[in-house]
Amino acid sequence: MTIRLPGGAFVRRTLALARAEVLHVTRDRATLVQIVIVPLIQLLLLSNAATFAIKRTPAYVVDFDRTSTSRALVTHLTAAGLIDVVGQSPSPDAANEAMLTGRATLVVVVPHDFESSLVRTGTAPIGLDLNAEKGSAAGIVQSYVVQTLDAYSRELGVELRPTPRLVAVSSAGSVPPRPAAGVIDVRTRGWYNPGLDYTAYMVPGILVALVTMIGTLLTAQNIAREKEIGTLEQLNVTPISRAEFVTAKLLPFWVLALLDLALGLFVGRLVFGIPVRGSLLVLFGAAGIYLVSALAIGLLISTVVETQQQAMFISFFLIMIYLLMSGLLTPIDSMPQWMQVASEVNPVRHFVAITRDVLVKGAGLSEIRVPLAVLTLYAAVTMTVAIRQYRKRSA
Amino acid sequence: MNALAGLLRKEWYHILRDRRTLFVIIFYPIVQVMLFGSSVRTDVRDVRLAIVDPTPDATTLELRNRFNAGGVFRIVSVTATDAPLAHLFQTDTAQVAVAFAPNFGERLSRGEAAQVLVFSDATDPNSGTSRQIYVRSVLQAYQRELGLRAGAIEIVPRVRSRFNPTRESTNLFVPGLMAIILTIIASLMTALSLTREKETGTMEILLVSPLRPWQIIVGKISPYLVIGFLSVLSVYGVARVVFHVPMQGSLALLVAEGMLFILVSLSFGILVSSRTSSQRVAMLGAMMATMLPTQMLAGLVFPIESMPRVLQWFSLIVPARWFIVIVRGIMLKGTGLAYLWPETLILAAMALVLLAASTRSFKVRLQ
C-alpha cells in the first residue's frame, strides 16, 4: 500500500477532471471552431479593418482667379498625392453639391483677385470648406493644407517680393529696418511606430480581446451547459471539493487561452509583422495573471445564470462594456473624465496597456509594475468572490 | 385575417410576459448609446507634453507659454536633454515631446532656420498624428506672426468646418450607433423567437395551422417593428439630450428610414432562424453575421475609405453601412431623399430580397 499525501489526491482528482474537460473541448467541433477558427478570422479581419489612416482626400476646386498663381497653388496641393481633385469649376453650387453627395470632402475656393492682391498687398485669402463630420480626420487634412499653403507662400515671397528677405540678410551687420523672419524648421518623428502602421497598434489589442472572449465566454458557457444538462449536480455529489472543481474547470481554459495568445502572436508576427520588442516571458506572465480574473468573471457569470443562452447574453454584454472602456479601439485620454476613472477598475484596460507597452514600446517589468499590480489585485479579488459565490450554489 | 390577429396577440403576450427580456429590450438601447457615446471618442485633449530646451530664452519661453495656454497641452516635464524621454514615453507620462535645437531663439532672430524636433508616441498612429499636428499648428501660428512682422507674403486660409463645426467625435459616432442597436434588437430577437418555437416544438403547431407562411412571418415581424420604432425614438432622444447631436434634417424621414432598416434586419433574423435549429446556433450565427461586420465594416468607427479594397467591397453588402450614411446625412448634413435615394433604394432592395428568401425557406420546411 502506497502512502498518499493529502495533496496527492487533490492533484490526482483535479487532473482527472481537467482531462475530462480537455476531452470535452477537443471532441466538440463547434467549440474547436470557436477557439481556433473564429479568433483567427477576427484577427485577420479586424486588424485590416481597424484603421484611421487617411488616404486620399477628394477635393473640389472653385477657381475664380484663373491665373498662373492660382493654378500653381492647386498643383502644390495635389503634389504630395494626399489630395485628389475630383472636380473643378467656377461654380460654388456645384462644389456644394459635391460636398452634400459626399463626392468631395474638401472645397478650395480661390477668390477673384487672388494673384493681384498677393502682388499688391502681400496677402490674400483662400477659402477652405471642410467636411468636418470626421473631426480628427478633418483636422489632419486642414493642417496638411495650411502647411502646404505656408510653404507655397514662402516660395511666392521669394518670387513676387524678394526684397524683405534680401534686405535682412545684406544688412545683418547694421540695424535692419525690420527684424528678419527666421524659419522654424519642424521635423516630426513618431516613436515606436515610425511608419504609422495601424496593425502594429491594433493587433496587440485584438489579441487581448480574443483572450478575454475565450477566458470569460467559454468558461461561463461551459459551466452553464453542465447545469443545463444536469451533470453539474452529479459533480456536486462526488467527493470532489470546491477548490478541486474550480481548478479543474478553469485550468484547461487558462492553458487554452494562453495557447490562443501564442497562436495569435505567431500569426500577427507572420502576417502583419507586428513588433515584439519586449520580453515574451513578461507578456505571458502578465497574461497568466490577467486570465485568472477573466476566468473568474466567467465563473461568476455561470453561477448567476440558468441557461447557456443567458450565459452568452450576459457574457457578451459584459465583454462589450469591458472592451469599449479599455482603450482598445479608441484612446482612453479622449474619454470623459468620469469614464477614465471608471475604466481604472477594468482589468482589460490594464492588460491592453501592458500588451502594447511590452510588444510595441519594449517596456520591461519596472515600466509595467503599476498595471501589473492592479491586475494581480483584481485577479485575487474576483477569484475569491467567484469561489465563494460558487459555494453558495452547491450548498 | 382572424388567424393573423390571433398570432399577433400571441406574439405580444410572449414579449410582454418575459419580463427579463422586456427589460433588456427597453433599456439596452439607452445603456448602449450612453456607453458607446462616452467611450468611443477620438478627440485630442489634455495632451501630456514634454519639453526639451537646452538653451532657454525668450522665444522658447514664449512658445512654451503658447503650448500651455491653448488648453490642448499640459507640460509635464522640461529638461535640458532628451535622455529622459524614453522613460517618459514608456511609462506613458508624456505623449508628445518638443525638442528645441540649441540656441533656438538666437538662430531665429538672426533669420536663420531654427530646428525643432517633435517626437510623438505613435504606438497609436491616429492619436500620434493628431497630436503632432496640434504641435505643428502652434509652431505655424508663431511662424506666421514672425513672417508678418518681417513683411513676408501670406496666403490666409479661411477655414469653414461644415456639418460638424465643433468637430466633436460624438456627433460622428452617436448617430451611427442607431445602426448597431437596431441590428442587434431586430436580428437577434427575431432569430431567437423563431428558433425558440422550433426548439419547444410549437413551430409544428404553427405550421399545421391555417396560417400561411407569409402570415407567420408578418406575425413574427410586426411586434419587433413596433419595438424597433420605439428604439429609434429612444436612441434619438439620448443622442439629442445627452450628447447634443445636432438634427439638421427631418425626424419623420429618419424614423421612416429607421423602419426600413429594421425591416432589413428582421428579415435577416428570420433567414438565419429558418436555417438553424437551436437557439445557441441561431445566436452565434446572428452575432457573427451581424455584430462583427456592423461594428467593424460599416464605417461606424473606422472609415471605409481607409480599409483594404477587399474589405471595402465586402462592406457593400452590410446593410448598416448604407443606413449609417443615411442617418449621418439626415442628422448632420440635413440632406433629404434628394441626396439619399441611392442608399434608400439599396436598403429597400435588400429588404425585398431577404424577405423573399426567408419566406421561401419557410415553405421548404413545410414539406
Side-chain angles (χ1 to χ4, degrees):
Chain A
M1 201 183 139
T2 50
I3 302 163
R4 283 208 195 98
L5 297 166
F10 179 88
V11 171
R12 196 166 39 81
R13 280 192 201 139
T14 310
L15 281 184
L17 196 55
R19 220 187 95 219
E21 219 43 63
V22 172
L23 283 178
H24 268 306
V25 170
T26 47
R27 213 166 11 186
D28 184 7
R29 279 276 172 75
T31 317
L32 261 188
V33 167
Q34 236 177 333
I35 293 175
V36 181
I37 311 288
V38 173
L40 280 185
I41 292 177
Q42 279 182 329
L43 184 63
L44 294 175
L45 194 76
L46 299 192
S47 311
N48 274 309
T51 171
F52 284 111
I54 296 171
K55 301 229 165 117
R56 290 166 163 255
T57 303
Y60 197 95
V61 177
V62 182
D63 187 356
F64 290 118
D65 197 42
R66 302 210 198 185
T67 55
S68 58
T69 314
S70 72
R71 275 191 291 272
L73 178 90
V74 175
T75 319
H76 269 76
L77 283 177
T78 54
L82 292 173
I83 287 176
D84 269 339
V85 175
V86 292
Q88 193 159 12
S89 77
S91 148
D93 290 339
N96 190 38
E97 186 84 8
M99 192 85 134
L100 282 174
T101 55
R103 222 156 36 84
T105 51
L106 170 71
V107 174
V108 181
V109 184
V110 188
H112 270 299
D113 44 2
F114 178 69
E115 190 187 67
S116 61
S117 161
L118 269 183
V119 174
R120 273 186 293 110
T121 64
T123 167
I126 185 166
L128 295 176
D129 282 10
L130 270 162
N131 179 347
E133 272 180 300
K134 293 167 188 162
S136 59
I140 292 176
V141 172
Q142 181 189 333
S143 154
Y144 170 74
V145 173
V146 171
Q147 216 174 294
T148 316
L149 289 180
D150 276 358
Y152 181 56
S153 50
R154 218 170 295 140
E155 214 173 283
L156 273 179
V158 179
E159 217 173 278
L160 296 176
R161 324 172 88 210
T163 33
R165 262 182 87 99
L166 288 182
V167 167
V169 172
S170 61
S171 59
S174 62
V175 182
R178 274 168 166 165
V183 179
I184 301 181
D185 176 11
V186 187
R187 307 262 168 97
T188 48
R189 212 175 285 169
W191 270 16
Y192 308 119
N193 190 359
L196 298 178
D197 177 12
Y198 226 87
T199 51
Y201 176 66
M202 281 316 287
V203 172
I206 292 169
L207 285 178
V208 173
L210 295 182
V211 171
T212 309
M213 288 282 232
I214 291 185
T216 305
L217 187 64
L218 280 190
T219 313
Q221 204 188 321
N222 179 280
I223 300 179
R225 195 178 61 189
E226 297 240 20
K227 249 187 209 177
E228 237 180 26
I229 53 182
T231 46
L232 196 63
E233 296 263 285
Q234 291 174 12
L235 279 177
N236 281 345
V237 295
T238 60
I240 285 176
S241 72
R242 222 175 314 113
E244 283 166 353
F245 173 79
V246 170
T247 321
K249 272 283 174 200
L250 299 190
L251 195 62
F253 291 106
W254 190 77
V255 175
L256 259 179
L258 284 181
L259 281 180
D260 245 23
L261 178 64
L263 179 72
L265 263 181
F266 181 70
V267 173
R269 185 101 188 95
L270 210 67
V271 180
F272 299 109
I274 57 159
V276 181
R277 300 213 174 90
S279 141
L280 281 180
L281 200 67
V282 172
L283 180 66
F284 275 87
I289 296 173
Y290 165 70
L291 273 172
V292 172
S293 56
L295 293 168
I297 292 167
L299 181 64
L300 205 56
I301 293 173
S302 74
T303 59
V304 295
V305 299
E306 294 298 323
T307 62
Q308 286 187 68
Q309 191 194 327
Q310 288 175 357
M312 266 168 92
F313 247 133
I314 298 185
S315 313
F316 260 112
F317 193 67
L318 262 185
I319 290 176
M320 211 173 54
I321 296 175
Y322 271 147
L323 293 185
L324 275 179
M325 291 175 60
S326 69
L328 177 84
L329 293 174
T330 47
I332 289 190
D333 296 301
S334 302
M335 295 174 191
Q337 199 60 42
W338 64 268
M339 201 161 221
Q340 291 192 27
V341 174
S343 77
E344 287 287 350
V345 297
N346 180 356
V348 186
R349 172 199 168 147
H350 299 286
F351 188 50
V352 166
I354 289 178
T355 312
R356 281 185 181 144
D357 285 353
V358 171
L359 288 178
V360 185
K361 298 190 191 175
L365 266 182
S366 71
E367 276 85 13
I368 60 166
R369 62 178 187 274
V370 177
L372 200 60
V374 176
L375 277 189
T376 313
L377 183 72
Y378 208 89
V381 170
T382 46
M383 194 43 99
T384 316
V385 172
I387 291 178
R388 288 196 53 175
Q389 194 70 21
Y390 182 74
R391 169 178 30 194
K392 270 191 201 150
R393 289 212 48 88
S394 61
Chain B
M1 270 303 127
N2 234 345
L4 183 57
L7 181 64
L8 280 175
R9 208 165 55 226
K10 168 187 106 59
E11 287 303 320
W12 269 115
Y13 284 150
H14 268 305
I15 294 172
L16 291 179
R17 212 162 16 182
D18 185 354
R19 282 288 152 80
R20 217 180 277 181
T21 314
L22 192 66
F23 185 79
V24 170
I25 291 178
I26 292 172
F27 284 98
Y28 173 79
I30 296 170
V31 173
Q32 177 85 327
V33 180
M34 302 278 281
L35 271 179
F36 254 111
S38 311
S39 67
V40 180
R41 287 191 179 181
T42 52
D43 315 282
V44 175
R45 60 172 82 180
D46 203 25
V47 179
R48 298 185 287 276
L49 174 71
I51 300 270
V52 178
D53 192 356
T55 48
D57 54 38
T59 317
T60 59
L61 284 178
E62 160 73 13
L63 277 170
R64 271 197 236 166
N65 277 338
R66 287 185 180 216
F67 277 121
N68 245 348
V72 177
F73 295 100
R74 185 158 51 88
I75 295 181
V76 290
S77 107
V78 179
T79 51
T81 68
D82 57 9
L85 285 187
H87 187 74
L88 287 177
F89 275 10
Q90 278 188 340
T91 52
D92 225 16
T93 317
Q95 295 164 318
V96 191
V98 173
F100 296 106
N103 308 322
F104 181 83
E106 200 188 313
R107 293 181 70 103
L108 210 56
S109 62
R110 267 194 270 131
E112 294 171 16
Q115 243 193 36
V116 52
L117 263 171
V118 181
F119 303 101
S120 65
D121 180 349
T123 312
D124 171 358
N126 186 50
S127 312
T129 318
S130 305
R131 289 176 196 135
Q132 269 186 7
I133 279 166
Y134 275 91
V135 172
R136 257 181 190 281
S137 64
V138 172
L139 293 173
Q140 258 167 12
Y142 188 72
Q143 166 89 67
R144 197 167 306 135
E145 278 172 38
L146 279 185
L148 280 187
R149 265 185 257 153
I153 227 165
E154 192 199 19
I155 300 173
V156 188
R158 298 264 157 80
V159 180
R160 192 156 63 114
S161 298
R162 299 189 58 184
F163 311 134
N164 182 7
T166 51
R167 294 194 181 170
E168 290 272 349
S169 55
T170 43
N171 287 350
L172 176 70
F173 294 134
V174 172
L177 283 178
M178 212 178 266
I180 293 232
I181 288 157
L182 294 183
T183 308
I184 291 173
I185 289 204
S187 303
L188 211 59
M189 294 292 167
T190 26
L192 284 184
S193 108
L194 270 172
T195 36
R196 194 169 46 203
E197 300 250 15
K198 273 189 201 172
E199 263 186 4
T200 51
T202 44
M203 185 57 107
E204 299 271 292
I205 301 174
L206 275 183
L207 288 180
V208 296
S209 72
L211 286 165
R212 296 170 165 276
W214 70 264
Q215 285 178 318
I216 297 180
I217 290 185
V218 167
K220 283 283 170 192
I221 280 185
S222 27
Y224 291 101
L225 269 179
V226 177
I227 291 173
F229 174 75
L230 294 178
S231 315
V232 173
L233 287 185
S234 63
V235 173
Y236 174 78
V238 175
R240 297 281 292 141
V241 175
V242 180
F243 295 107
H244 309 291
V245 178
M247 178 58 173
Q248 309 283 357
S250 122
L251 180 58
L253 181 62
L254 182 70
V255 171
E257 297 275 8
M259 299 310 279
L260 180 61
F261 180 68
I262 292 170
L263 200 60
V264 175
S265 309
L266 286 175
S267 340
F268 184 78
I270 291 181
L271 193 62
V272 169
S273 62
S274 66
R275 303 253 162 205
T276 53
S277 47
S278 77
Q279 288 190 56
R280 185 168 162 229
V281 179
M283 231 170 114
L284 263 183
M287 287 267 187
M288 293 306 294
T290 57
M291 292 265 285
L292 204 65
T294 311
Q295 287 188 1
M296 304 307 296
L297 297 178
L300 175 72
V301 181
F302 301 105
I304 295 174
E305 315 84 83
S306 308
M307 295 175 191
R309 253 318 127 72
V310 182
L311 290 184
Q312 290 195 23
W313 288 331
F314 186 73
S315 78
L316 293 178
I317 59 164
V318 179
R321 176 213 165 126
W322 306 105
F323 185 59
I324 288 177
V325 174
I326 292 176
V327 181
R328 284 183 184 159
I330 295 175
M331 292 191 77
L332 299 179
K333 294 188 181 181
T335 45
L337 272 182
Y339 288 96
L340 298 171
W341 61 266
E343 286 82 8
T344 311
L345 266 187
I346 290 172
L347 279 186
M350 282 179 169
L352 272 182
V353 170
L354 285 172
L355 267 181
S358 50
T359 320
R360 268 200 54 178
S361 356
F362 236 79
K363 260 187 207 145
V364 171
R365 296 205 54 86
L366 263 176
Q367 287 151 4

